[in-house]
Amino acid sequence: QVQLVESGGGLVQAGGSLRLSCAASVSIFSINAMGWYRQAPGKQRELVAVFTSGDSTNYADSVKGRFTISRDNAKNTVYLQMNNLKPEDTAVYYCNVRRVMLSKEYDYWGQGTQVTVSS
């Protein structure tokens, strides 16, 4: 089992910045993928940014150039720096960890943190 503790959401004006943090209860080295998803009202959950194997990253097209995912391996923590925020970035942001064990994928989710961007 993996516990995830998120922090850093809030209310910000368009053009502002926020940084989200997600601390995992297990070593990042035991994780196959770790990153952030978001879900806006009435929409499906979507990938925002994620670390995959090694140091590879994957970003949603809508956030490229504005958001940066990073991590601190010693703290088992992943961060999402969000700059030049737009009202369409408003959503609940969820931290995700995926582990692959015996060829099966296991997804773990944080409790979610609200990000609201006002115009």
Side-chain angles (χ1 to χ4, degrees), residues 7-9 17-21 36 68 70 79-82 85:
S7 61
S17 299
L18 286 172
R19 189 176 83 150
L20 306 182
S21 300
W36 295 92
T68 303
S70 62
Y79 304 96
L80 185 67
Q81 178 66 44
M82 304 184 292
L85 282 159

Side-chain angles (χ1 to χ4, degrees), residues 6 20 33-40 44-50 58 80 91-98 107-109 112-113:
E6 302 163 353
L20 306 182
M34 186 171 182
W36 295 92
Y37 289 70
R38 67 186 180 188
Q39 188 166 18
Q44 290 190 328
R45 193 171 295 188
E46 63 176 1
L47 179 145
V48 177
V50 65
N58 188 22
L80 185 67
V92 178
Y93 284 68
Y94 295 92
C95 182
N96 169 264
V97 157
R98 175 167 291 177
D107 278 307
Y108 303 91
W109 297 92
T113 185

Side-chain angles (χ1 to χ4, degrees), residues 2-7 20-28 31 34-36 72 74-79 95-97 109-111:
V2 178
Q3 278 77 49
L4 302 170
V5 178
E6 302 163 353
S7 61
L20 306 182
S21 300
C22 174
S25 61
V26 297
S27 169
I28 282 182
I31 292 169
M34 186 171 182
W36 295 92
D72 184 333
K75 296 182 179 180
N76 300 323
T77 299
V78 167
Y79 304 96
C95 182
N96 169 264
V97 157
W109 297 92
Q111 78 279 8

